[in-house]
Amino acid sequence: MSLEDFAVSRRALLAGGSTVTALSLLGTPSVEAATTQSHGSDDMLWYRHPAKEWTEALPVGNGRIGAMVFGGIAEERLQLNEDTLWGGGPYHPVNPEAKAALPQVQRLIFEGRYDEAQAIAKEKLMAVPVRQMSYQVLGNLRVSFPGLGEPTENSYRRQLDIDAACHTTRFTADGVDYERRVVASPADQVIAVQLKASRPGTLAFDLRLEVPQTRHDVRTLPGNVLLLEGENNAQHGISGALKFQGRVKVIARGAKISAAADSLSVRGGTEAVILIAMATSYRNYADVSADPDAITSAQIAAASRKSFRAIADKAAEDHRAIYRRVSIDLGRNAEADKSTDERIRQSETADDPALAALYFRYGRYLLIASSRPGSQPANLQGIWNDSVNPPWGSKYTININTQMNYWPAEPAAMPEMVEPLIALVRDIAQTGARMARDMYGARGWVCHHNTDLWRATGPIDGPQFGLWPMGGAWLCLHLWDRYDYGRDAQYLATVYPILKGACEFFLDTLVRDPKTSWMVTNPSLSPENNHGHGEGSLCAGPTMDMQILRALFTATAQAASVLKTDASFVAEIATMKGKLIPNRVGAEGQLMEWKDDWDASAKDLHHRHVSHLFGLFPDAQINLDDTPDLAAAARKSLEIRGDKATGWATAWRINLWARLRDGDHAHSILRFLLGPERTYPNMFDAHPPFQIDGNFGGTSGVIEMLLQSIGTNIHLLPALPSAWPTGSIRGLRARGACMVDLSWKGGALAQARVVSTIGGSHEIRCGDVRRTINFQPGKAVLLTGPELRSA
């Protein structure tokens, strides 16, 4: 997608239109194919008290805008976000000394003089500025209710219905029943709030905006509108270039609405609706000429002509069209009837299989709410952030975290949600081409371990973290997965140049290791792990790099084959692929993380990253069937690392143990992930602090325990834990445009339904039983029992 195309897509989104492209529909089940399972309490997060902390509040979002809802009584707080409100403005962060200094850093690394190499890299190779821009909060909408008494005992409940995408707060005070509902509408591009009181004339509230941005103004306008206008902050020496606006309109027929300079008041009401629109002047990473005033005024005007019910019903319809494609049942007991925070507190000691199912559903909800066609991709916090300076800038960390956000998208039937990520890769292929040329003197394109709204691609933070050239290459594999699950060659043709460009960069920059003659990356590192041979992490040819390159070269060759193009280029990358360092087993029986057997000397044997296991998951070049010795070595590495890590790293371990087909071990780690150390009361992942990647990684882990799709192989229940003896999952996707429904009983497969929309041959496996089936396009195949008998 070009900058112009993406601008058109974003304009359609901002206007409240539906951006449906060939990309968003590839391999997507129709609405009619969505499950008709009834939804109720199993799709609910609920609590007996308001949120006191941000990590107790509950999220709503439409991909582009979002809110955290606190469910307060005397005061409600909606913390607001718009996905293009970041610091700074367009910039190109190349270090002008980098290209000349690169050979010296490479030589020092090959000579084992790692600290000297790091010192020069810090001075001459790192991006300028050395930090990227941060995703930022727009502000808080404060709705206070003067004179409101305490709720009647046991009357209070707040809940997030993740099937209807609606937040509701209910309570009784002074004999009056109050209800407050909040939705984020994809169609209308507003956040809509409904306030109701059961006794006529008793609804009274004051409305104001609280804004942490430095340059802003809040004022009232005719028509009961509260207007926020501002400009974003400069950051790290990059001037702010964005204008932003928030527009809030109150509709309360029959009530008295009065305006002060910067607030609105409603008295004598029974029902009121608050509409919130937000926008910035961002069009794309090089163009900040959009008109947020025109955008928000049009959105508010259009939404004002609709009832809250119409807005909420359409929001639910749009959400359910994706959400209801997949259903899951892992069993249910009395624990499932407790409030969500109680269940999380007790999750490591109580038997609550439905909590894992809720976590899975919530992960799908969060991705639908934070990544839609035309929006920005889900960042480190999805779309929900309450700070102008959030942890790690709430950026796109692409040495695993951004990729983990999208692990469940294809198999869990949410391919449209990948479109913003693909748009980002299209962008960084452009900005990264300039970085490749200016920093490395290379063809193609490169992106290091982070990027931001402005699609910066240079190495940031410090050489021990950022001097890793593989982030863009890894993201390319999501472009290939998008094809492999949906099988649309027209789409593949649009991304093939990006895959080829990523390969060209490494053809130009891989260097021969003087000791072994292997071709290696240099400088690089194994994210973000110190190998114990210096103060930093710099090295040549770490295992993860070699694995990613094998995967990239393989996917690019496969894409060229599908498109019947570039035979000579395919031969070139095949030759280079054969010169990469192979996966190897070290002295302790572990999979070696570096070119040299340094694992035992690493400074942190329990490091959160398990980068060298990329080849086991998310890739599959290491697996129990084809490379059993390497799989055993990967298992040894996992045992050395340990099961408990930060939130996202814990989630990665679940997927890895599932790939080793140890369901009980994977489940034990999942229970830890669901516990209060790694899951906040609102079910957000605790790194700590909050990072959303753990939610998405945990969702992926549940899938990997129940279904694994590798090449043309579909493995049913490969890592089913004993804690889930009976259950079902319906609507999953497998590679080759396949859809899979599963049910099991007594720990064994009961029935599988598999259909391929394009047909073709697939090996279906359950335990040691394998069947090769030639599928007819669109015709379902039913298999019963672990013997895979034809139904």
Side-chain angles (χ1 to χ4, degrees):
M1 185 182 291
S2 68
L3 286 176
E4 184 179 17
D5 290 339
F6 187 76
V8 170
S9 172
R10 184 165 179 81
R11 284 197 296 272
L13 180 74
L14 287 164
S18 175
T19 306
V20 181
T21 67
L23 179 62
S24 71
L25 291 175
L26 302 180
T28 304
S30 66
V31 175
E32 289 77 17
T35 177
T36 57
Q37 168 187 324
S38 62
H39 293 261
S41 61
D42 289 341
D43 294 279
M44 207 76 71
L45 282 68
W46 70 276
Y47 305 81
R48 293 185 171 92
H49 52 78
K52 295 179 181 179
E53 306 292 337
W54 190 85
T55 49
E56 296 176 356
L58 296 170
V60 297
N62 70 358
R64 187 184 67 85
I65 59 177
M68 295 291 286
V69 187
F70 282 67
I73 299 167
E75 181 181 80
E76 175 61 285
R77 172 188 173 191
L78 274 69
Q79 180 265 301
L80 303 173
N81 289 110
E82 201 275 355
D83 71 352
T84 60
L85 182 53
W86 292 59
Y91 69 111
H92 175 51
V94 71
N95 191 321
E97 298 184 87
K99 189 190 296 184
L102 185 63
Q104 183 182 11
V105 172
Q106 291 175 324
R107 176 178 58 80
L108 290 170
I109 288 174
F110 278 140
E111 292 174 359
R113 297 159 65 183
Y114 303 106
D115 287 344
E116 294 175 64
Q118 177 161 307
I120 294 172
K122 183 177 181 180
E123 179 184 355
K124 297 184 177 182
L125 297 190
M126 302 308 294
V128 180
V130 77
R131 297 193 183 278
Q132 290 177 355
M133 305 303 111
S134 295
Y135 178 51
Q136 300 187 338
V137 63
L138 183 132
N140 295 286
L141 180 66
R142 301 277 187 174
V143 188
S144 56
F145 300 86
L148 191 62
E150 286 297 311
T152 303
E153 187 176 2
N154 297 325
S155 71
Y156 179 92
R157 176 174 167 131
R158 65 184 172 102
Q159 65 186 37
L160 177 64
D161 184 338
I162 58 176
D163 173 59
C166 180
H167 183 286
T168 304
T169 304
R170 293 189 181 95
F171 59 89
T172 301
D174 302 322
V176 180
D177 298 329
Y178 292 92
E179 179 181 87
R180 303 167 185 168
R181 301 173 67 200
V182 183
V183 299
S185 169
D188 296 293
Q189 286 298 306
V190 296
I191 293 172
V193 184
Q194 182 189 53
L195 309 174
K196 295 172 66 176
S198 64
R199 184 185 302 163
T202 57
L203 182 64
F205 61 91
D206 301 318
L207 204 67
R208 62 186 175 87
L209 282 165
E210 175 185 84
V211 184
Q213 293 285 339
T214 304
R215 299 178 294 173
H216 74 274
D217 176 66
V218 178
R219 66 183 188 276
T220 54
L221 298 178
N224 306 320
V225 171
L226 195 58
L227 181 69
L228 160 66
E229 293 181 305
E231 298 176 8
N232 71 326
N233 296 330
Q235 199 170 29
H236 308 307
I238 304 298
S239 298
L242 289 171
K243 297 177 181 178
F244 67 87
Q245 190 174 103
R247 189 179 291 261
V248 182
K249 180 177 178 63
V250 176
I251 302 170
R253 294 179 179 86
K256 179 183 178 182
I257 306 176
S258 56
D262 59 358
S263 64
L264 294 169
S265 296
V266 174
R267 297 293 185 270
T270 304
E271 180 177 340
V273 174
I274 303 169
L275 300 174
I276 308 162
M278 295 171 272
T280 77
S281 58
Y282 182 87
R283 290 185 184 272
N284 58 59
Y285 68 84
D287 184 347
V288 292
S289 64
D291 184 352
D293 182 75
I295 293 168
T296 61
S297 59
Q299 289 168 344
I300 290 294
S304 297
R305 294 190 286 270
K306 301 179 181 180
S307 66
F308 176 85
R309 179 173 180 177
I311 293 171
D313 285 352
K314 177 58 175 170
E317 178 186 345
D318 290 346
H319 176 73
R320 285 168 173 158
I322 305 165
Y323 180 80
R324 287 191 174 183
R325 290 173 188 162
V326 176
S327 64
I328 186 171
D329 178 5
L330 300 177
R332 196 179 194 283
N333 58 27
E335 294 294 320
D337 296 324
K338 296 179 178 178
S339 65
T340 305
D341 48 345
E342 290 179 272
R343 296 172 73 184
I344 291 169
R345 284 195 299 270
Q346 300 169 9
S347 64
E348 290 188 81
T349 55
D351 177 22
D352 187 0
L355 183 63
L358 179 62
Y359 195 85
F360 172 88
R361 296 187 191 101
Y362 191 47
R364 295 186 71 252
Y365 167 86
L366 291 172
L367 190 56
I368 296 167
S370 62
S371 181
R372 277 181 173 265
S375 78
Q376 295 299 307
N379 60 48
L380 276 177
Q381 296 180 209
I383 196 176
W384 302 281
N385 160 44
D386 67 341
S387 173
V388 294
N389 188 28
W392 302 285
S394 195
K395 300 187 296 293
Y396 301 106
T397 302
I398 56 174
N399 65 11
I400 179 150
N401 309 96
T402 300
Q403 290 90 339
M404 183 179 285
N405 284 358
Y406 289 89
W407 283 355
E410 299 289 355
M414 302 179 288
E416 304 98 321
M417 280 59 259
V418 187
E419 188 172 325
L421 183 70
I422 295 172
L424 179 146
V425 179
R426 293 182 190 276
D427 287 350
I428 61 173
Q430 297 177 40
T431 58
R434 186 176 175 189
M435 184 61 63
R437 181 195 68 204
D438 294 349
M439 180 175 176
Y440 293 92
R443 297 174 298 161
W445 66 277
V446 65
C447 190
H448 293 80
H449 98 297
N450 255 287
T451 190
D452 58 13
L453 180 75
W454 310 108
R455 305 318 191 227
T457 59
I460 66 162
D461 295 338
Q464 69 273 33
F465 308 112
L467 202 52
W468 184 71
M470 307 304 300
W474 188 349
L475 285 173
C476 280
L477 301 178
H478 283 267
L479 305 188
W480 170 253
D481 284 349
R482 188 70 189 81
Y483 165 76
D484 205 18
Y485 277 87
R487 296 297 176 94
D488 186 286
Q490 184 178 0
Y491 153 75
L492 186 63
T494 70
V495 297
Y496 176 72
I498 299 173
L499 300 177
K500 183 176 180 179
C503 292
E504 286 175 329
F505 172 79
F506 291 102
L507 290 177
D508 286 1
T509 58
L510 288 169
V511 291
R512 188 180 69 84
D513 175 52
K515 294 181 181 178
T516 65
S517 294
W518 282 316
M519 298 299 288
V520 298
T521 47
N522 183 6
S524 191
L525 52 95
S526 187
E528 300 163 7
N529 198 4
N530 183 303
H531 46 61
H533 293 264
E535 293 303 313
S537 309
L538 292 186
C539 65
T543 297
M544 186 188 214
D545 290 14
M546 302 296 101
Q547 293 173 343
I548 291 176
L549 286 175
R550 275 192 290 274
L552 173 66
F553 291 161
T554 298
T556 304
Q558 289 176 311
S561 177
V562 171
L563 300 171
K564 296 180 173 57
T565 189
D566 264 347
S568 61
F569 184 74
V570 169
E572 187 178 0
I573 59 177
T575 299
M576 183 62 79
K577 180 179 170 183
K579 296 178 180 180
L580 301 174
I581 305 173
N583 290 303
R584 292 166 300 147
V585 180
E588 297 188 325
Q590 89 289 358
L591 191 73
M592 288 170 55
E593 185 166 356
W594 292 275
K595 178 172 66 72
D596 300 292
D597 194 354
W598 288 341
D599 296 61
S601 61
K603 289 197 173 181
D604 182 4
L605 293 180
H606 307 293
H607 199 266
R608 61 195 178 280
H609 284 262
V610 282
S611 302
H612 55 311
L613 303 187
F614 167 92
L616 177 63
F617 186 89
D619 204 47
Q621 59 193 260
I622 297 172
N623 61 78
L624 287 167
D625 298 317
D626 302 316
T627 60
D629 292 342
L630 292 175
R635 184 184 187 100
K636 181 65 175 179
S637 291
L638 278 173
E639 291 169 350
I640 293 171
R641 277 291 207 272
D643 293 342
K644 293 186 176 182
T646 58
W648 65 263
T650 298
W652 194 358
R653 284 157 170 79
I654 297 168
N655 289 270
L656 290 163
W657 280 105
R659 279 290 171 92
L660 292 173
R661 301 176 197 155
D662 192 335
D664 284 341
H665 199 139
H667 182 263
S668 71
I669 302 173
L670 177 62
R671 289 188 73 165
F672 172 66
L673 181 68
L674 292 174
E677 287 186 63
R678 291 295 174 264
T679 294
Y680 290 113
N682 64 359
M683 287 196 98
F684 272 172
D685 170 71
H687 177 69
F690 165 54
Q691 280 189 199
I692 204 166
D693 38 31
N695 288 98
F696 297 133
T699 301
S700 171
V702 173
I703 297 169
E704 288 296 315
M705 294 160 78
L706 302 177
L707 178 75
Q708 293 177 13
S709 173
I710 299 171
T712 58
N713 180 283
I714 300 174
H715 198 158
L716 312 178
L717 305 180
L720 181 67
S722 56
W724 304 339
T726 300
S728 65
I729 190 163
R730 295 180 173 85
L732 292 182
R733 299 169 78 229
R735 296 174 187 275
C738 293
M739 293 183 65
V740 182
D741 298 342
L742 293 172
S743 62
W744 62 94
K745 187 174 183 179
L749 180 70
Q751 186 177 79
R753 180 183 183 274
V754 185
V755 59
S756 172
T757 60
I758 62 170
S761 178
H762 291 268
E763 180 184 84
I764 310 299
R765 178 176 181 181
C766 183
D768 294 329
V769 178
R770 303 168 186 247
R771 284 194 59 187
T772 298
I773 298 175
N774 290 312
F775 288 86
Q776 299 302 310
K779 186 176 180 180
V781 172
L782 296 180
L783 303 169
T784 61
E787 302 84 8
L788 300 178
R789 298 184 304 272
S790 296

